[in-house]
Amino acid sequence: MLKISIATSFAMLLSFSIPAAAEFHKEILDAHNQCRLRHHAANVVLDNSLAKAAQSYAEELARTNVLVHSDRSTRSNIGENLYSWSISTSRQSTSKKPSLAEHGVMGVSAWCEESAKYDFSRPGYVTGTGHFTQVVWKSTQKIGCGAAESKVSLTEKGQVKTTRYVVCRYSPTGNLNTPAAFRENVRP
C-alpha cells in the first residue's frame, strides 16, 4: 500500500529572496503585456492589493493541494487565472526546477496559447479559452499574481512530489458573457 504524507506546505515567495520575488512579478507582468500587445490591448500594471490576495489564495491552494477557483463572491469584479505544475523527484535529487519567475511565465504562456482555440469571427465565451480572454481583455487595467509550493512525500517510492501554484487576479474582470463585450475586449 502506498503511503502518502503531506510535508510542509509553504509560501514560495517566503522561500525565495526578495530579488526572486521581484523578478517573478516583473516577468509575469511582462509576459501578460507581451500577450496583450499581440492582441491590441494596452499594458496592465501591477497592483499590490491584487498581488497580496493572489498570494494568499496561492498559499491556500498549496495547503489543500487542490487546484480550484476561489469563490467569486470573495472577489467582486475581480477575474482569476490559475496554473499548476508538478514534478516528482527522489529525496536525494539535485535536479534544478524552473525558477519562480519561469513558472509565472509558463503559466501566462499556457493561457495565451489558448488563443489558437478562440474563434475571433464568433466572439463569446468558449470553453478552453477563458484564461486567454482574461489575459487580453482590453478593459482590464491591473493585475496581481502570487505563487506557492506544496510538497507531498510519497514514502514507499522514496519520492517527493512538488507542486507549484500560480494565481493571477485581474481588475476589472474580463469574460463578461455577452458577444458585444467579447467583440470589444478580445482582439485578433
Side-chain angles (χ1 to χ4, degrees), residues 67-84:
L67 185 68
V68 62
H69 280 284
S70 64
D71 185 338
R72 284 181 182 253
S73 67
T74 65
R75 52 182 171 86
S76 178
N77 201 30
I78 304 295
E80 179 177 79
N81 277 351
L82 307 178
Y83 177 78
S84 70

Side-chain angles (χ1 to χ4, degrees), residues 127-147:
T127 300
T129 65
H131 300 104
F132 157 69
T133 55
Q134 176 60 84
V135 169
V136 301
W137 198 263
K138 182 180 164 187
S139 64
T140 294
Q141 299 169 352
K142 302 182 285 187
I143 69 165
C145 301

Side-chain angles (χ1 to χ4, degrees), residues 5 8 20 24 33 43-45 52 55 65 86 89 93 99-100 103 122 127 138-139 152 155-156 160 162:
S5 65
T8 306
F24 168 79
N33 285 331
N43 285 350
V44 288
V45 297
K52 184 177 178 181
Q55 179 61 37
N65 247 354
S86 296
T89 57
S93 176
S99 73
L100 179 65
H103 272 117
R122 298 184 62 182
T127 300
K138 182 180 164 187
S139 64
V152 176
T155 54
E156 285 190 11
V160 175
T162 302

Side-chain angles (χ1 to χ4, degrees), residues 3-182:
K3 293 180 184 176
I4 299 176
S5 65
I6 302 285
T8 306
S9 291
F10 56 93
M12 182 178 291
L13 291 179
L14 297 177
S15 66
F16 283 81
S17 65
I18 291 173
E23 180 187 11
F24 168 79
H25 288 294
K26 178 193 178 312
E27 294 295 325
I28 206 164
L29 180 65
D30 289 349
H32 272 86
N33 285 331
Q34 289 169 12
C35 185
R36 291 174 64 82
L37 179 65
R38 289 191 300 273
H39 294 278
H40 311 286
N43 285 350
V44 288
V45 297
L46 182 65
D47 180 87
N48 287 332
S49 65
L50 289 173
K52 184 177 178 181
Q55 179 61 37
S56 177
Y57 192 63
E59 291 170 14
E60 182 177 329
L61 294 176
R63 275 191 302 278
T64 61
N65 247 354
V66 177
L67 185 68
V68 62
H69 280 284
S70 64
D71 185 338
R72 284 181 182 253
S73 67
T74 65
R75 52 182 171 86
S76 178
N77 201 30
I78 304 295
E80 179 177 79
N81 277 351
L82 307 178
Y83 177 78
S84 70
W85 175 92
S86 296
I87 187 171
S88 293
T89 57
S90 71
R91 286 190 182 98
Q92 294 79 28
S93 176
T94 58
S95 62
K96 183 178 185 288
K97 46 187 177 186
S99 73
L100 179 65
E102 289 167 330
H103 272 117
V105 171
M106 287 166 55
V108 178
S109 293
W111 300 332
C112 291
E113 287 171 6
E114 292 176 0
S115 66
K117 297 181 258 179
Y118 189 79
D119 184 353
F120 293 94
S121 67
R122 298 184 62 182
Y125 183 81
V126 177
T127 300
T129 65
H131 300 104
F132 157 69
T133 55
Q134 176 60 84
V135 169
V136 301
W137 198 263
K138 182 180 164 187
S139 64
T140 294
Q141 299 169 352
K142 302 182 285 187
I143 69 165
C145 301
E149 180 175 283
S150 70
K151 292 180 183 284
V152 176
S153 177
L154 306 172
T155 54
E156 285 190 11
K157 293 184 177 184
Q159 292 187 320
V160 175
K161 179 181 177 188
T162 302
T163 303
R164 287 184 174 171
Y165 297 92
V166 176
V167 176
C168 288
R169 299 271 173 97
Y170 303 84
S171 179
T173 190
N175 294 336
L176 303 176
N177 205 10
T178 67
F182 275 86

